[in-house]
Amino acid sequence: MKVLCLSGSARAASFNSALLAVAAADLASRDIDVVRVAPAELTALPLMDQDLEAASGLPEQARALKAAFHKADGVVLACPEYNGSVTPLLKNVIDWVSRPDEALPAPACFQRRPMALLAASPGALGGLRGLRHMREILGNLSAMVVPRQFALAKAGDAFDAQGALRDSKNQEAVAGVIDDLLYWMEAIHGKG
């Protein structure tokens, strides 16, 4: 099985990217093929613009991301919260990946695709408000957003120097989200 992992933050010291690394390590420990998208690949995407799309088609970066989503049996998104909602970077990715093209119809990258949501924030809610919006956006695209999610509060103190989570309960929460993702991947795709 293959899981695509990406963070909605381009910040070098991103808590969400650190949390995504924890999830990716958990997946790898279960012999899952993990495909990580580098933040530079996301920032290279132009702002979603239908005039640009009409003039020159989907940008090559968008085609590559669409292919990565389509090939994945599941997706893990680390979703920073900006002003109580999703980041422009992550929304731009979703907007481009959801566009139709000759190779992949519009819903092919999301429809029935199991997706797991994580968030991390220095605040007390851990990015929880943004996850609600992300769940709604992905649901509108017919993605199967797994029921369990995890929002890491007080993320500035949550990681040790090696990037591991200090609190075993937080590690268990990430593992629980991965458990849900793998369950739904098996249920939908029949791979195990």
Side-chain angles (χ1 to χ4, degrees):
M1 288 193 287
K2 182 180 290 189
V3 173
L4 180 67
C5 295
L6 62 93
S7 170
S9 174
R11 193 169 65 87
S14 166
F15 298 131
N16 283 275
S17 295
L19 186 58
L20 185 67
V22 170
D26 185 293
L27 285 160
S29 75
R30 301 179 197 217
D31 293 324
I32 302 298
D33 183 11
V34 176
V35 177
R36 293 216 34 201
V37 178
E41 293 177 59
L42 305 181
T43 58
L45 275 172
L47 188 61
M48 173 54 196
D49 177 348
Q50 287 182 315
D51 290 337
L52 171 67
E53 180 184 16
S56 54
L58 261 71
E60 187 53 41
Q61 304 94 324
R63 287 183 190 276
L65 279 169
K66 281 180 71 83
F69 269 80
H70 190 256
K71 290 176 186 173
D73 298 300
V75 177
V76 177
L77 299 175
C79 309
E81 178 185 288
Y82 284 13
N83 297 314
S85 192
V86 301
T87 62
L89 180 65
L90 195 50
K91 183 67 167 72
N92 194 47
V93 167
I94 290 168
D95 290 344
W96 275 118
V97 172
S98 69
R99 300 301 298 163
D101 69 358
E102 315 80 51
L104 293 170
C109 299
F110 294 98
Q111 195 168 38
R112 292 175 41 89
R113 181 112 26 235
M115 297 194 177
L117 302 180
L118 304 170
S121 169
L125 296 179
L128 194 57
R129 294 172 298 182
L131 291 181
R132 179 178 55 86
H133 292 170
M134 183 55 65
R135 185 173 290 277
E136 184 175 347
I137 292 165
L138 294 173
N140 285 336
L141 293 167
S142 300
M144 195 286 132
V145 184
V146 302
R148 200 175 335 189
Q149 62 187 22
F150 177 58
L152 177 65
K154 300 184 173 61
D157 299 321
F159 299 95
D160 65 21
Q162 290 72 41
L165 288 167
R166 288 190 167 111
D167 188 333
S168 62
K169 289 182 182 176
N170 289 335
Q171 182 65 50
E172 290 167 14
V174 171
V177 172
I178 299 304
D179 288 343
D180 268 17
L181 178 67
L182 296 178
Y183 172 85
W184 285 102
M185 286 167 55
E186 170 70 25
I188 290 173
H189 301 295
K191 297 180 180 182

